[in-house]
């Protein structure tokens, strides 16, 4: 199997290492050709001068880790070429672009797997199984949080889509996947009281959302770009019988203030790639199996649309300071 990888930044480089082991042949390219050449030489892959060569030379599947603005176009191009695609989230930063790319995939009858890596994390998987098995009883409360240890570069913010679309979208997807329920309404707020670059970009550095699920379960999702203690991603699910927590281990960047409580983690998670490395590897292995026809698609593009619609509802709620029902958001 020959796979083409477009984008050799941090996550693309990680994926390339996995694909070089899992696929028979790997061709990489990047908007900065020298970066692709350096990666290819390091892992024994082939570097292509541009995206055009990847399509012209011929591959069996495509992995897209390029800049967000290029995702939808590359998905559409791959669909027209009959190629299955793995794409890091998002498909696009808006609903129109997302829907257009999905139509291309559906028209072509090809495969699009989205990179929501938390679906492949051992903790989230165990929580999902606990809910499905009824171990918690009726789930009444879910609390999710994603906290980055430091803000991204200022230049990234205008391209990110904002904290809800770029960061909390993972929590929205995980919430749906773990509980098996759909969001029916949201109330979102945010603060730009941190670094000035967030205000300048029209974004927030910290956000909080209350979500109501279709069975009445209440969920909260919070996120911040300014969590100096370390990278902190958790989900707590409470039911009438039990409570479970995802992401609580000896590297979770929290400390108890109780006299007998645990101290701060001696080696907290520094970032997303370290925390979710096994999950990232598992999702790429799954994609290879999907291309081989050995398993069904574990995260179809429609899942990305569902999570993006929740993020869109949050943006509307924050702007208008009101509860927003999901049926107000197009694209259902």
């Amino acid at each position: 199997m020959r796979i083409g990888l477009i984008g050799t930044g941090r996550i693309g480089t990680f994926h390339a290492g996995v694909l070089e082991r899992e696929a028979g042949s790997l061709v990489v390219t990047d908007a900065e050709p020298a970066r692709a050449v350096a990666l290819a030489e390091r892992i024994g892959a082939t570097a292509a001068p541009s995206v055009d060569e990847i399509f012209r030379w011929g591959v069996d599947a495509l992995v897209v880790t390029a800049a967000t603005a290029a995702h939808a176009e590359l998905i559409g191009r791959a669909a027209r070429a009959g190629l299955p695609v793995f794409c890091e989230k998002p498909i696009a930063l808006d609903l129109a672009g997302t829907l257009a790319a999905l139509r291309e995939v559906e028209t072509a009858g090809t495969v699009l797997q989205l990179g929501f890596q938390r679906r492949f994390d051992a903790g989230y998987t165990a929580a999902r199984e606990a809910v499905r098995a009824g171990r918690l009883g009726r789930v009444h409360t879910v609390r999710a949080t994603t906290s980055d240890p430091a803000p991204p570069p200022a230049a990234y913010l205008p391209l990110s889509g904002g904290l809800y679309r770029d960061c909390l979208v993972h929590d929205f997807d995980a919430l749906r996947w773990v509980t098996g329920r759909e969001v029916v309404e949201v109330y979102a707020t945010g603060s730009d009281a941190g670094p000035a670059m967030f205000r300048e970009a029209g974004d927030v550095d910290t956000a909080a959302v209350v979500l109501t699920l279709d069975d009445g379960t209440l969920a909260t999702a919070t996120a911040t770009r300014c969590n100096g203690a370390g990278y902190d991603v958790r989900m707590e699910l409470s039911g009438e019988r039990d409570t479970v927590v995802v992401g609580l281990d000896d590297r979770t960047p929290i400390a108890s203030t109780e006299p007998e409580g645990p101290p701060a983690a001696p080696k907290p998670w520094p970032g997303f790639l370290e925390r979710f490395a096994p999950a990232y590897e598992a999702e790429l292995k799954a994609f290879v199996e999907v291309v081989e026809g050995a398993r069904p698609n574990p995260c179809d593009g429609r899942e990305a649309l569902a999570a993006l619609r929740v993020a869109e509802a949050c943006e509307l709620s924050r702007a208008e300071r009101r509860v927003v029902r999901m049926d107000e958001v197009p694209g259902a």
Side-chain angles (χ1 to χ4, degrees), residues 193-314:
M197 63 182 183
F198 290 96
R199 292 185 292 279
E200 293 164 0
D203 196 6
V204 293
D205 60 77
T206 303
V209 187
V210 177
L211 310 100
T212 303
L213 307 189
D214 58 11
D215 63 346
T217 299
L218 296 180
T220 60
T222 62
T224 184
R225 301 285 198 186
C226 306
N227 195 58
Y231 183 70
D232 188 8
V233 171
R234 282 174 284 129
M235 176 179 279
E236 178 181 314
L237 298 104
S238 296
E240 293 179 338
R241 295 179 184 171
D242 203 358
T243 294
V244 295
V245 182
V246 179
L248 183 60
D249 58 22
D250 61 0
R251 298 193 68 180
T252 305
I254 56 175
S256 174
T257 59
E258 299 298 329
E260 302 300 323
K267 190 179 179 182
W269 294 110
F272 67 91
L273 196 51
E274 294 82 4
R275 164 66 176 85
F276 287 111
Y280 280 118
E281 183 167 352
E283 70 178 358
L284 263 293
K285 288 181 177 179
F287 178 62
V288 171
E289 293 173 357
V290 169
V291 176
E292 292 174 336
R295 66 174 293 172
N297 188 350
C299 189
D300 181 80
R302 286 282 167 184
E303 302 296 326
L305 173 63
L308 177 61
R309 291 184 65 247
V310 178
E312 292 288 333
C314 290

Side-chain angles (χ1 to χ4, degrees), residues 50 88 101 104 120 138 161 181 190 278 302 315 318 320:
S50 72
E88 281 298 333
E104 292 251 37
F120 296 86
R138 181 183 68 86
R181 314 306 307 191
R302 286 282 167 184
E315 286 287 7
R318 179 174 75 93
E320 299 186 359

Side-chain angles (χ1 to χ4, degrees), residues 15-326:
H15 286 341
V18 176
L19 293 169
E20 186 61 27
R21 297 191 299 271
E22 298 296 323
S25 177
L26 179 65
V27 184
V28 302
T29 193
D30 193 273
E32 299 179 19
R35 188 162 66 176
V37 170
L39 173 61
E41 291 176 348
R42 190 162 66 248
I43 67 173
T46 301
S50 72
V51 171
D52 290 340
E53 277 75 19
I54 283 195
F55 282 95
R56 195 155 48 235
W57 293 353
V59 293
D60 300 302
L62 198 65
V63 172
V64 176
T65 56
T68 295
H71 287 188
E73 179 185 352
L74 290 170
I75 290 169
R77 185 171 180 180
R80 294 189 295 275
L83 295 175
V85 179
F86 174 93
C87 184
E88 281 298 333
K89 67 87 189 167
I91 295 174
L93 289 179
D94 61 1
L95 288 171
T98 299
L99 289 167
L102 289 174
R103 283 194 293 270
E104 292 251 37
V105 172
E106 291 171 2
T107 298
T110 53
V111 170
L112 171 60
Q113 180 182 329
L114 257 292
F116 280 122
Q117 86 283 354
R118 295 186 194 182
R119 292 177 177 231
F120 296 86
D121 176 73
Y124 282 96
T125 299
R128 185 177 193 266
E129 291 171 352
V131 171
R132 297 296 195 281
R135 274 182 44 207
L136 310 185
R138 181 183 68 86
V139 176
H140 50 73
T141 309
V142 183
R143 303 175 185 90
T145 187
T146 295
S147 300
D148 290 333
Y156 174 74
L157 294 178
L159 309 175
S160 71
L163 193 59
Y164 300 106
R165 299 186 189 94
D166 181 55
C167 183
L168 275 166
V169 72
H170 281 287
D171 296 280
F172 301 150
D173 178 70
L175 177 63
R176 296 180 59 252
W177 187 71
V178 170
T179 65
R181 314 306 307 191
E182 296 295 339
V183 177
V184 295
E185 66 179 31
V186 307
Y187 179 76
T189 188
S191 169
D192 61 3
M197 63 182 183
F198 290 96
R199 292 185 292 279
E200 293 164 0
D203 196 6
V204 293
D205 60 77
T206 303
V209 187
V210 177
L211 310 100
T212 303
L213 307 189
D214 58 11
D215 63 346
T217 299
L218 296 180
T220 60
T222 62
T224 184
R225 301 285 198 186
C226 306
N227 195 58
Y231 183 70
D232 188 8
V233 171
R234 282 174 284 129
M235 176 179 279
E236 178 181 314
L237 298 104
S238 296
E240 293 179 338
R241 295 179 184 171
D242 203 358
T243 294
V244 295
V245 182
V246 179
L248 183 60
D249 58 22
D250 61 0
R251 298 193 68 180
T252 305
I254 56 175
S256 174
T257 59
E258 299 298 329
E260 302 300 323
K267 190 179 179 182
W269 294 110
F272 67 91
L273 196 51
E274 294 82 4
R275 164 66 176 85
F276 287 111
Y280 280 118
E281 183 167 352
E283 70 178 358
L284 263 293
K285 288 181 177 179
F287 178 62
V288 171
E289 293 173 357
V290 169
V291 176
E292 292 174 336
R295 66 174 293 172
N297 188 350
C299 189
D300 181 80
R302 286 282 167 184
E303 302 296 326
L305 173 63
L308 177 61
R309 291 184 65 247
V310 178
E312 292 288 333
C314 290
E315 286 287 7
L316 181 59
S317 176
R318 179 174 75 93
E320 299 186 359
R321 295 182 176 272
R322 67 177 179 88
V323 171
V324 173
R325 291 192 54 82
M326 288 306 301

